[in-house]
Amino acid sequence: MNTEEIRRVVKAVLAETNAERFFTRQNMQRVFDVAEAKANELKVGVTMCVADEAGNVRMLYHMPNANMVSRTLAPKKAWSAIAMKEPTMQIGPDIQPGGPLYEMSGNLDGRLVSFSGGIPLVWHDKIVGAVGVSGGLVEEDQLICETAVNAFFKGDKDNG
């Protein structure tokens, strides 16, 4: 192994062990508070979900004025961002007829979401989880989700 390979392995191990500190109830509540403020600014009710790298829902919040379908879609958006290793808004073109992953959505029993509102949480170049937001227009979901993701690692001195 050369020096660069060793650095990459160490960075991956550190990312895995250090990222868990962001999944505290206090941090996730702070993230939801920031995202809820953005949703209120946009005058939209949403459901927000934070999932870990295995797709486990670590926290879910359904605003009182959010629509019912958002409770199902927010966790699916988080899962989709993790499973596909990219924001959900980038999945759509690949699964359309003629796309390289056409019919993938059907093969996943409806779990895959291919529209805005799901973004991976990346720590030291490793996906450690994702945020999913649903309830508004796709543009609103995306903006609220970006706000949540930006808040997730905020304030950490090593926010790689």
Side-chain angles (χ1 to χ4, degrees):
M1 242 186 213
N2 67 34
T3 304
E4 186 56 37
E5 290 171 329
I6 292 171
R7 281 189 183 128
R8 230 183 350 249
V9 169
V10 168
K11 197 173 185 180
V13 169
L14 286 174
E16 196 167 309
T17 57
N18 288 333
E20 185 60 31
R21 71 178 182 259
F22 295 108
F23 289 93
T24 64
R25 184 190 57 77
Q26 293 83 4
N27 188 53
M28 290 185 291
Q29 182 63 56
R30 183 185 57 76
V31 169
F32 282 5
D33 289 346
V34 169
E36 183 176 29
K38 178 56 79 176
N40 286 333
E41 178 185 312
L42 297 172
K43 296 179 178 25
V44 63
V46 296
T47 300
M48 300 172 265
C49 176
V50 172
D52 63 23
E53 68 179 318
N56 300 310
V57 173
R58 298 294 289 268
M59 187 175 267
L60 181 77
Y61 174 60
H62 179 78
M63 292 174 64
N65 59 333
N67 58 37
M68 193 175 0
V69 71
S70 67
R71 287 188 292 218
T72 299
L73 288 174
K76 284 185 174 191
K77 288 181 179 186
W79 181 88
S80 297
I82 295 164
M84 297 300 288
K85 300 180 180 180
E86 64 183 346
T88 55
M89 66 186 288
Q90 296 175 0
I91 297 170
D94 288 341
I95 64 169
Q96 298 303 313
L101 301 175
Y102 178 56
E103 295 187 1
M104 177 179 265
S105 183
N107 289 317
L108 292 171
D109 298 323
R111 287 187 74 190
L112 188 67
V113 174
S114 61
F115 45 89
S116 297
I119 301 175
L121 293 165
V122 180
W123 178 253
H124 291 290
D125 301 322
K126 182 181 185 313
I127 295 174
V128 297
V131 174
V133 174
S134 181
L137 301 172
V138 290
E139 297 83 8
E140 293 167 332
D141 289 354
Q142 184 66 22
L143 182 58
I144 296 164
C145 192
E146 288 170 1
T147 300
V149 169
N150 289 335
F152 192 79
F153 298 114
K154 190 172 178 85
D156 188 78
K157 64 181 183 215
D158 184 32
N159 65 355

